[in-house]
Amino acid sequence: MTTQTSTYRAGILPADPAATAGRADTHSARSPLGAGASRLRRTGRTLPFGDPRHLLAHQWLTDETYLLDAQQYEEWLGLLTDDIHYLMPVRVTTALGAGFDTAPGMAHFDEDKYSLSRRVARFRTEHAWTEDPPSRLRHHVTNVRTFATDDEDHLVVDSGMLLHRSRGDVQEAAQVSAGREDLLRRTADGWQLARRTILVDDSVIRMQNLAIFL
């Protein structure tokens, strides 16, 4: 029997393929909507902070953050590949030896390009009452680490994200803290997001709704 490591338990997969033999290789592999997503994983150690690939990935995340803060979602969709899988599993509290800390088959977000585009389109209708008036958003991205893959046109990027969200004049602001694992792909239109797994740091989300993107 293969022993689950604490690294795997936290959703960050080890770089050594031998360490993951017999396991699902990505969170997307466990989701029907992720069937078409890339299975590429990180290889080797973290790229140096001065590596051009790391600098490129860090700038990409920063530019994306400003689009999300400004709620320029149509432009944000242009940063996504057609086969993207956007996943935010439900976290659960389990014993150390359980080998998992997400609820099987359950997710706050489990989406592909089509479902994401439908959500964006809904923001422009009179039915998007959860974002009318719109929230005031601030995505703080930190602790960025970049990894090469077996394909030079793909990079795996880890980051920490803290979202501050304020709505109306009387409601208390809410925050969500999470770690993200992204797969960036070089395309004819520049670098795009091919896969995103969001692992929130709370098992219970205390926002009134999740009608935003992380």
Side-chain angles (χ1 to χ4, degrees), residues 25-189:
D25 54 353
T26 64
H27 280 278
S28 293
R30 308 178 194 114
S31 164
L33 280 180
S38 172
R39 297 293 191 262
L40 280 172
R41 298 187 303 181
R42 66 191 68 197
T43 59
R45 296 185 176 276
T46 310
L47 296 178
F49 286 176
D51 190 296
R53 292 167 293 179
H54 173 78
L55 296 175
L56 180 151
H58 200 164
Q59 180 175 345
W60 192 97
L61 289 180
T62 301
D63 289 342
E64 182 206 23
T65 293
Y66 276 87
L67 289 180
L68 293 176
D69 286 346
Q71 302 184 42
Q72 296 179 12
Y73 295 133
E74 288 88 353
E75 190 171 348
W76 177 70
L77 284 175
L79 298 180
L80 313 182
T81 64
D82 290 338
D83 62 341
I84 185 172
H85 188 219
Y86 184 91
L87 179 66
M88 181 171 153
V90 173
R91 301 299 294 273
V92 293
T93 303
T94 58
L96 183 61
F100 67 95
D101 65 356
T102 60
M106 298 182 65
H108 299 287
F109 299 127
D110 189 352
E111 308 205 44
D112 57 14
K113 184 69 172 284
Y114 176 78
S115 64
L116 290 170
S117 68
R118 293 305 84 201
R119 287 184 59 197
V120 168
R122 187 174 182 275
F123 285 142
R124 303 307 176 200
T125 72
E126 62 184 12
H127 304 294
W129 55 268
T130 55
E131 280 299 303
D132 186 10
S135 300
R136 292 177 286 274
L137 305 175
R138 188 68 61 195
H139 293 73
H140 301 271
V141 178
T142 186
N143 298 349
V144 178
R145 302 192 304 163
T146 310
F147 299 84
T149 70
D150 289 332
D151 184 339
E152 64 180 10
D153 289 329
H154 289 79
L155 295 170
V156 170
V157 188
D158 288 343
S159 62
M161 192 278 304
L162 179 66
L163 170 66
H164 181 90
R165 183 187 187 195
S166 177
R167 292 200 70 232
D169 299 322
V170 296
Q171 296 172 327
E172 290 189 12
Q175 294 184 337
V176 173
S177 173
R180 302 184 304 186
E181 183 191 73
D182 294 337
L183 180 68
L184 296 183
R185 177 185 300 159
R186 179 163 38 205
T187 72
D189 297 321

